[in-house]
Each structure stands twice: as C-alpha cells, then as structure tokens.
C-alpha cells in the first residue's frame, strides 16, 4: 500500500477559507481574548464585610414637681404660700442616656416680682420635707440669668431643689424654671469644649 | 488526482482546521479564564501536566473587641478605636485593597450638613499586631486613610497596594464623632441633633488578584 501523500505545502501561503469564515475565526479569537483579559487582569476579587452597630448618646434634664415623672418642657414653679413667704419643691431629672456633670438652671419671671427675690437650694442625697432637707443642702443662689448647678447626675437620677421667696406670689408673678444641658455638661467633654 | 481535484480537498481540510483551531482556541482560553489565576502551562511531556488554579481569599478577624460589640452612647468628641486583622489566606497575592463603608440608619451620624457633625473614620496600619488594650503599635504605624466623613466612603478608597499570599494587615479603625455644641433645653434637643441616633455601618474590604504573570521554564 502506497504511503499517503500529504498535500503539498506552500510557503507564505495566505490562509485558505472564505472571507466570511476568516472574519468569524478572527471574531472568535477577539472574543476569546476579551473574555480572558478581564478575568486574568483583575476580575478575581476577594471581599470581606462586617457590620458595626453604633448609637450616639443623649444629654438632657428637666424640672418637674417633686416626685413626678419627667416630662418635656419648662416648669412653672408650684408655689406653696405660707404667710408672707412661699416655697416650691421641684426635682431636676436627668433624662438622657449620658451622665451629666451638672445642669444650667434659668428662672424667668412673668409678673411684677423680680427673679432676684427667689433663692434656690439643692438637697443632695435626700428630699425636701418642707423647709428641711434629709440630705445635704447646697445653695444654688438667686437665679438671675443662668446658674450652673454643678451636681453630677447619672441617667434617670434626680436632685431635689427648693425655691423660696419672701414675698407673696399668688396671682402676681409666674416663675418658669428652665433646665439646659450643654455638651460641656456631659461626661468626658474635652477641655475647652463649648 | 490532478491539482484541480486536490485543491478543493485541501481548502476544505484547511477550512475545517481553521474552524477547529478557532473553536479550540476559544475553548482553551475559556478554560484558562475559569482558572482563577489565569495561569497557563504548556508541556510536551507525555505525562499530564497538573495545573492548579490559585485562590484569592481575604479573611477578617477581630483583635480585641473589633467589630464584635456595638458602640453605644457616643458623645461628640468621643473617639472609638477598633482593631482588626485582614489575612490573605489564599495562594494568590492580592492587590489594590480597598475599603467601602455603607450605612443604614440616621443620616445625622453619617452625612455632614451645614457643619461638620457626622462620624469620621480613619484607618491606621501597623506592621505588627495592634495592642487593642492601649491602641498602640509597637512597630511602625502608618496612616492608611485620613479622617473622612463616613458618608463619603460609599465609593472604594485605597488602603494598600498589595497584600501578599499568607500576609496579614493589622488595622486600627478610628471612629470619631466630631466635637460640637448642642444644648438641650427642658429635655428637648435642638432641631439638628446627633443625639440618640443609631446607624449600622457595613465595612467592606476588597482586593483583587495581583497582575497576571507570564512564566517560563
């Protein structure tokens, strides 16, 4: 049996095949390169994710009648008249989630009596029983403008205050006590912070 | 068989060979694409040449508290340090490690308004493990990301150019709530407040494989 002859080879022969077939082959090659390039050039990625929950705290305090539950808003002092003088027992309650180093008290008067006629005293570690403090008294002073009550308060903690005036107040003047808490009144406030 | 009879047969054979070569090329390149590393190997040995695709794996582990515990009661001016370690545990070197942070929750903690109020994140690196208890680096520390408002980190930011296979990256994440003054009056915070807000931050660390290599031998 005679050996099978291979077709003669031609040097530098242009590849055979129809133009359409050549274009198809070229397109397939280009497509292949296009598929390969992005995968080998950086499409392989590794990713690791993790979630961290975060919440911010709050700082706040309110004034309420002694023993009352805290509510938002200013408090009109509940005067109790006794002869020529009157007093009002209130609590300041920390209602935020952060501990406080103090609060700022402001007393506004609506009427003929001046604020300077009202003296405020805190009862630390106890409550007021009339004019008597079961704990330690600490003068807050006359609330002209804003006074800082420098008493540490943990969240939900309350401190008892007694406001006193030597003048009759019934139907003459409404005293509204406001409580402000600034960032600097919160634990960990940086030095010089405002 | 004369030349005229041979030529069509040769063209058909060549045409078929081209098609086979094209299809074979596509198949070969596609297989090469599937191999993760894009590695190729050529052999003339009669023994089958094994070709293993590389793996690119990135793992994250807490160092100390890390991300295992939520951050609560953050106040303006507070800084929280958390430490994690990223390990490239695959067989391939990684490159272009990036970080993204997406969030859900109160926008006040994430996006600055008229003033700088939202959380910021900075990332520091250390060539040895961080001391999570003190937040210190006993080796050489470097800043990989300066303090950036968290809301701006939804697009990837580059941390390091490469993380070789088997290597670790020791990261310290510095979360801070910028100091700011807010005065609460009679229990009510101001209209624009960062108080009492919550947010879930999703950290995404991503790296790609190192540049493809052509090897000879």
């Amino acid at each position: 049996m005679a050996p099978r002859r291979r077709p003669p080879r031609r040097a530098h022969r242009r590849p055979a095949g129809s133009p359409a077939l050549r274009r198809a082959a070229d397109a397939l090659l280009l497509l292949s390169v296009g598929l390969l390039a992005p995968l080998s050039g950086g499409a392989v990625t590794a990713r690791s994710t993790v979630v961290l929950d975060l919440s911010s705290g709050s700082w706040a305090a309110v004034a309420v009648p002694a023993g009352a539950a805290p509510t938002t808003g200013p408090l009109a002092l509940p005067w109790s008249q006794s002869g020529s003088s009157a007093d009002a027992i209130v609590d300041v309650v920390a209602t935020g989630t952060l501990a406080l180093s103090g609060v700022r008290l402001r007393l506004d008067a609506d009427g003929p009596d001046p604020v300077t006629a009202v003296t405020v005293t805190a009862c630390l570690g106890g409550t007021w029983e009339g004019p008597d403090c079961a704990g330690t008294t600490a003068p807050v002073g006359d609330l002209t403008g804003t006074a800082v009550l420098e008493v540490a308060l943990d969240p939900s903690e309350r401190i008892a205050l007694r406001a006193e005036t030597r003048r009759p107040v019934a139907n003459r003047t409404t005293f509204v006590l406001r409580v402000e808490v600034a960032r600097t009144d919160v634990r960990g406030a940086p030095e010089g912070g405002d | 068989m004369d030349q005229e009879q041979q030529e069509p047969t040769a063209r058909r054979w060549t045409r078929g060979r081209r098609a086979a070569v094209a299809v074979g090329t596509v198949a070969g390149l596609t297989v090469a694409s599937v191999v993760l590393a894009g590695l190729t190997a050529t052999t003339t040995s009669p023994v089958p040449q094994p070709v293993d695709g590389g793996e690119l794996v990135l793992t994250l582990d807490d160092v100390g508290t890390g991300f295992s515990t939520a951050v609560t009661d953050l106040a303006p001016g507070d800084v929280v340090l958390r430490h994690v370690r990223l390990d490239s545990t695959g067989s391939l070197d990684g490159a272009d490690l990036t970080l993204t942070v997406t969030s859900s929750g109160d926008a006040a903690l994430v996006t600055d308004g008229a003033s700088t109020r939202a959380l910021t994140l900075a990332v520091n690196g250390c060539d040895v493990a961080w001391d999570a208890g003190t937040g210190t680096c006993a080796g050489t520390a470097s800043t990989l990301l300066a303090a950036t408002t968290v809301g701006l980190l939804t697009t990837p930011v580059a941390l390091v150019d490469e993380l070789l296979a088997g290597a670790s990256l020791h990261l310290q994440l510095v979360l801070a709530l910028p100091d700011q003054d807010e005065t609460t009056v009679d229990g009510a915070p101001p209209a624009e407040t960062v108080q009492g807000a919550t947010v879930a931050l999703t950290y995404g660390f991503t790296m790609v494989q190192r540049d493809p290599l052509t090897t000879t031998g």
Side-chain angles (χ1 to χ4, degrees), chain A residues 21 32 39-40 44-50 52-57 59 73 97 178-179 181 183 187 190 194, chain B residues 15 25-26 29 33 36 71 73-74 76 179 181-182 184 186 194-197 199 201 203 205-209 212:
Chain A
L21 184 59
S32 302
L39 286 177
S40 62
V44 177
T45 62
R47 182 174 173 82
S48 183
T49 61
V50 64
L52 178 66
D53 293 322
L54 184 147
S55 64
S56 57
W59 50 96
T97 62
R178 294 183 179 278
V179 182
V181 182
R183 169 66 185 92
R187 61 91 183 128
D194 191 11
Chain B
R15 194 179 304 131
T25 302
V26 171
L29 292 175
S33 303
L36 293 182
V71 178
D73 280 342
L74 200 63
D179 197 18
D181 185 23
E182 281 190 14
T184 301
D186 298 327
V194 296
Q195 297 184 54
V199 66
L201 303 174
Y203 295 78
F205 297 93
T206 304
M207 69 177 181
V208 299
Q209 73 169 70

Side-chain angles (χ1 to χ4, degrees), chain B residues 89-164:
Chain B
T89 58
S91 58
L92 288 177
D93 295 337
D96 299 333
L97 181 69
T98 62
L99 167 67
T100 58
V101 181
T102 57
S103 62
S104 60
D106 293 306
L109 289 180
V110 177
T111 306
D112 285 334
S115 60
T116 304
R117 307 174 65 86
L119 289 164
T120 63
L121 175 68
V123 181
N124 298 321
C126 180
D127 59 350
V128 296
W130 286 94
D131 184 332
T134 62
T136 57
C137 170
T140 303
S142 58
T143 300
L144 305 182
L145 174 67
T148 304
T149 302
V150 167
L152 300 177
L153 297 175
T154 54
T155 55
V157 292
L159 293 184
V160 295
D161 293 334
E162 66 176 12
L163 185 60
L164 301 180

Side-chain angles (χ1 to χ4, degrees), chain A residues 5-10 13-18 21-29 31-63 71-75 95-99 104 106 155 176-194, chain B residues 3 6-7 10-11 13-19 21-23 25-27 29-30 32-38 56-60 62 66-78 80 82 86 92 97 100 109 119 175 177 179-188 193-212:
Chain A
R5 292 180 59 190
R6 298 183 62 186
R9 303 186 68 172
R10 298 181 180 178
R13 189 167 74 99
R14 182 178 174 81
S18 69
L21 184 59
R22 285 200 301 270
R23 283 195 298 272
D26 291 343
L28 285 172
L29 285 172
L31 177 61
S32 302
V33 173
L35 285 172
L36 181 61
L39 286 177
S40 62
V44 177
T45 62
R47 182 174 173 82
S48 183
T49 61
V50 64
V51 177
L52 178 66
D53 293 322
L54 184 147
S55 64
S56 57
S58 59
W59 50 96
V62 296
T71 56
T72 302
L75 173 68
T95 56
T97 62
L98 297 174
R104 299 154 193 262
R106 194 178 78 228
V176 175
L177 182 62
R178 294 183 179 278
V179 182
E180 299 177 352
V181 182
R183 169 66 185 92
T184 49
D185 300 322
V186 182
R187 61 91 183 128
E191 288 288 331
D194 191 11
Chain B
Q3 184 69 20
Q6 287 180 3
E7 194 61 26
R11 277 203 299 271
W13 184 87
T14 304
R15 194 179 304 131
R17 185 177 59 178
R18 283 187 61 81
V21 167
V23 171
T25 302
V26 171
L29 292 175
T30 304
S33 303
V34 172
V35 175
L36 293 182
L56 188 69
V57 181
L58 183 65
T59 62
L60 183 149
D62 292 328
F67 291 109
S68 63
T69 303
V71 178
T72 59
D73 280 342
L74 200 63
D78 283 352
V80 177
R82 293 294 170 91
L86 290 175
L92 288 177
L97 181 69
T100 58
L109 289 180
L119 289 164
L175 269 170
L177 188 60
D179 197 18
Q180 52 206 284
D181 185 23
E182 281 190 14
T183 298
T184 301
V185 179
D186 298 327
T193 181
V194 296
Q195 297 184 54
T198 61
V199 66
L201 303 174
T202 300
Y203 295 78
F205 297 93
T206 304
M207 69 177 181
V208 299
Q209 73 169 70
R210 51 96 178 111
D211 290 337

Side-chain angles (χ1 to χ4, degrees), chain A residues 139-161:
Chain A
V140 179
D142 296 336
L143 297 183
T144 55
T146 300
V148 177
L149 176 60
E150 293 183 348
V151 175
L153 287 174
D154 287 330
S156 301
E157 189 177 0
R158 62 177 62 208
I159 184 171
L161 300 180

